[in-house]
């Protein structure tokens, strides 16, 4: 399974940010532990009014062929009013759009490069 470098993921996130509306409030590409110091990245999102860390992860043999969204567990309950829930709803919809966008970019990358061991920033 090929990995996407931090530069490739950042370029895809930047492209999404230029094309899609509404945009997620807090999105960043962070280092991910890779095999043998590989330059792998992970997309992290923080939704306003929610202390939950959210990660968008590329496919692995364990998760199947699609990108997936992981919501980190919380230790405490969160109580929100209607306006905060509406904000979260819009952010979760944008999160789903980003995940689908990353899936499409990844599929195009694999078709173009024939599943290389490492992606370049031009993917």
């Amino acid at each position: 399974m090929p990995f996407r470098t931090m530069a490739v993921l950042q370029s895809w996130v930047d492209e999404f940010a230029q094309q899609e509306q509404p945009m997620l409030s807090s999105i960043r590409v962070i280092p991910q532990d890779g095999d043998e110091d590989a330059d792998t990245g992970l997309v992290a999102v923080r939704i306003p009014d929610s202390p939950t860390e959210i990660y968008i992860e590329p496919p692995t043999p364990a998760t199947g062929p699609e990108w997936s969204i992981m919501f980190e567990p919380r230790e405490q309950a969160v109580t929100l009013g209607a306006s905060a829930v509406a904000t979260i709803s819009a952010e979760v919809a944008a999160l789903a759009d980003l995940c689908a966008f990353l899936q499409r970019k990844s599929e195009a990358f694999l078709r173009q490069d024939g599943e290389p061991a490492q992606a370049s920033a031009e993917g």
Side-chain angles (χ1 to χ4, degrees):
M1 183 74 57
F3 68 83
R4 288 79 178 161
T5 65
M6 285 189 62
V8 167
L9 288 178
Q10 187 63 59
S11 72
W12 291 354
V13 166
D14 292 345
E15 184 179 340
F16 176 83
Q18 293 173 0
Q19 295 178 1
E20 302 290 329
Q21 291 298 326
M23 184 55 197
L24 293 161
S25 298
S26 171
I27 180 171
R28 62 201 184 283
V29 177
I30 61 174
Q32 180 184 29
D33 294 334
D35 294 336
E36 299 178 20
D37 297 322
D39 178 29
T40 59
L42 186 67
V43 178
V45 175
R46 175 64 67 91
I47 293 177
D49 297 319
S50 173
T52 303
E53 285 290 332
I54 302 167
Y55 302 101
I56 304 176
E57 302 175 317
T60 67
T63 63
E66 293 184 332
W67 284 70
S68 58
I69 300 171
M70 180 179 66
F71 295 83
E72 285 283 316
R74 290 189 318 265
E75 292 183 18
Q76 297 179 337
V78 175
T79 303
L80 302 170
S83 63
V85 171
T87 298
I88 289 174
S89 173
E91 293 274 333
V92 169
L95 180 63
D97 290 344
L98 174 58
C99 190
F101 177 83
L102 294 173
Q103 180 71 36
R104 290 189 304 274
K105 292 298 287 186
S106 188
E107 289 169 356
F109 172 79
L110 294 176
R111 280 192 307 274
Q112 175 185 347
D113 292 340
E115 292 199 21
Q118 181 173 343
S120 73
E122 300 169 335

